[in-house]
Amino acid sequence: NDIYNMLIRLHSRHNRADQARGLFFEMQEWRLKPDADTYNALINAHGRAGQWRWAMNIMDDMLRAAIPPSRSTYNNVISACGSSGRWKEALEACKRMTDNGVGPDLVTHNIVLSALKKGSQYLKALSYFELMKRRGISADAVTLNIVINCLVKLGQYAKALDVFNSMREKRGECAPDIVTFTSVLHAYSVCGQVDNCKAIFDMMLSEGLKPNMISYNALIGAYASHGMHAEAFSVFNTLKKSGFRPDVVSYTSLINAYGRSGKPEKAQEIFDMMKGSSCKPNIVSYNALIDAYGSEGKLAEALNVLREMERGGIQPD
RNA sequence: GCGUUUCUUUAUAUUCGC
């Protein structure tokens, strides 16, 4: 049983909801009874796939099987609504949870906040956070990271930095983590302060936090969006030297760095490098390269890339 | 009673309009 639960979780992580569902039926053919963990994992799998209705139906099945939904079950359902962009349904599910006598925990509140953020309801997210404070619910780093990102989306950079600085003072549960630093780095990029992106990155290092792919990619992206291809390329190399394999985001950011610097042939070079790697270009990579040519008026080359993309079986959007 | 562990939540890439 536990093995099936693990396998379903594995499919969930890889966004294979149908495979997860297959296992769910397969285990029952072996006369294994799905337990709460099974249902939770299955709900999670559908949530990640944006199938919030399925997620809800599975919870109903659970009730029919006389397995009471746990806090994790509700959290998974609320999260399923959130990742499908259904913030209203997320709030309703949260209310239903309370009505059914299952109290929300901090994770629940964080899931609601992120559902509001995914639904672009940044102001609502901030009011929800204020409500949490008034109720004496103490936030953790995840909470504050979401708040920072909502403030950035609203263009309230100074307030975002205030939250960041309060996290640095408080430490403990609220100590800035790698997500915090990456968010602040991105905030500086969005408001045009590239130098501070590097400063934040270095601060993260001096705090003893190890950068991951996402933080490297964020720095590459910051340089890229400001047309600083040399700096972007240098971070790309540092990433590789640190033992990471650049992913599709790393490559696409670098393509964009050259595109924005008016160097489509360099962008093409990186694109070819990506094809020679284990990482396949996706539609965003193709779009970045097409735009690199297009913005330099090289329409024939741009069309060539478009044709190559279609030959590769990717539909233009 | 205390601690440890498991599960659920947050950060990065392309174009265009307001």
Side-chain angles (χ1 to χ4, degrees):
Chain A
N1 220 324
D2 287 343
I3 295 181
Y4 270 101
N5 292 352
M6 267 180 55
L7 289 173
I8 292 174
R9 247 180 248 127
L10 198 71
H11 282 306
S12 174
R13 273 194 223 294
H14 292 85
N15 293 322
R16 303 296 335 165
D18 39 354
Q19 306 242 28
R21 204 160 52 229
L23 283 172
F24 177 77
F25 292 123
E26 185 186 308
M27 75 187 284
Q28 283 161 298
E29 284 169 23
W30 289 94
R31 297 176 175 225
L32 290 168
K33 273 179 101 178
D35 59 13
D37 283 345
T38 317
Y39 281 103
N40 289 346
L42 195 61
I43 292 171
N44 187 259
H46 288 80
R48 298 171 88 99
Q51 302 176 355
W52 61 283
R53 278 207 175 280
W54 271 97
M56 293 210 163
N57 290 338
I58 295 163
M59 188 168 73
D60 292 339
D61 288 347
M62 208 173 161
L63 286 165
R64 271 192 285 276
I67 298 173
S70 66
R71 183 176 287 121
S72 277
T73 311
Y74 282 106
N75 285 349
N76 273 311
V77 167
I78 299 168
S79 169
C81 299
S83 15
S84 317
R86 315 297 297 225
W87 59 275
K88 284 181 189 162
E89 284 80 0
L91 289 175
E92 280 164 22
C94 182
K95 190 172 178 302
R96 205 171 321 134
M97 170 180 187
T98 317
D99 293 345
N100 293 350
V102 182
D105 62 358
L106 184 54
V107 174
T108 315
H109 294 303
N110 289 342
I111 293 172
V112 169
L113 282 171
S114 96
L116 291 170
K117 185 191 157 277
K118 274 187 195 119
S120 308
Q121 305 299 309
Y122 309 117
L123 289 172
K124 281 198 170 62
L126 295 177
S127 337
Y128 192 91
F129 176 61
E130 290 303 322
L131 187 71
M132 283 171 66
K133 282 204 282 193
R134 258 180 276 132
R135 291 194 184 165
I137 300 162
S138 47
D140 65 2
V142 174
T143 320
L144 299 175
N145 289 341
I146 300 171
V147 168
I148 288 177
N149 283 294
C150 288
L151 288 167
V152 171
K153 288 281 186 189
L154 291 167
Q156 303 189 12
Y157 306 112
K159 282 193 183 172
L161 285 177
D162 286 345
V163 177
F164 172 61
N165 288 323
S166 76
M167 291 170 82
R168 301 197 71 208
E169 286 162 14
K170 280 194 191 163
R171 317 302 301 182
E173 288 286 286
C174 299
D177 58 14
I178 191 161
V179 177
T180 319
F181 280 101
T182 309
S183 304
V184 173
L185 191 161
H186 183 246
Y188 275 126
S189 173
V190 172
C191 70
Q193 303 184 28
V194 215
D195 294 346
N196 280 328
C197 295
K198 177 77 173 110
I200 283 292
F201 193 85
D202 291 338
M203 186 193 286
M204 179 172 75
L205 295 177
S206 67
E207 304 260 325
L209 289 171
K210 266 196 166 304
N212 60 17
M213 279 283 286
I214 300 183
S215 33
Y216 278 115
N217 287 345
L219 189 56
I220 296 173
Y223 285 132
S225 61
H226 290 82
M228 299 165 71
H229 62 268
E231 290 82 353
F233 187 61
S234 151
V235 177
F236 182 81
N237 284 325
T238 312
L239 178 156
K240 289 204 280 193
K241 263 186 262 161
S242 313
F244 289 104
R245 283 183 142 187
D247 66 5
V248 63
V249 177
S250 324
Y251 281 110
T252 307
S253 301
L254 199 52
I255 290 168
N256 188 231
Y258 287 117
R260 286 191 176 254
S261 315
K263 297 184 177 306
E265 47 304 301
K266 293 291 286 180
Q268 180 76 59
E269 228 174 80
I270 301 301
F271 186 83
D272 294 338
M273 187 196 291
M274 169 164 52
K275 285 197 294 188
S277 77
S278 56
C279 152
K280 288 253 165 281
N282 63 16
I283 186 158
V284 181
S285 330
Y286 278 104
N287 288 347
L289 184 60
I290 291 171
D291 189 59
Y293 282 121
S295 55
E296 286 298 299
K298 306 202 167 185
L299 295 188
E301 289 86 345
L303 281 170
N304 270 335
V305 179
L306 176 70
R307 276 195 283 270
E308 184 193 321
M309 173 171 115
E310 288 174 319
R311 256 182 281 122
I314 300 179
Q315 291 290 324
D317 62 4

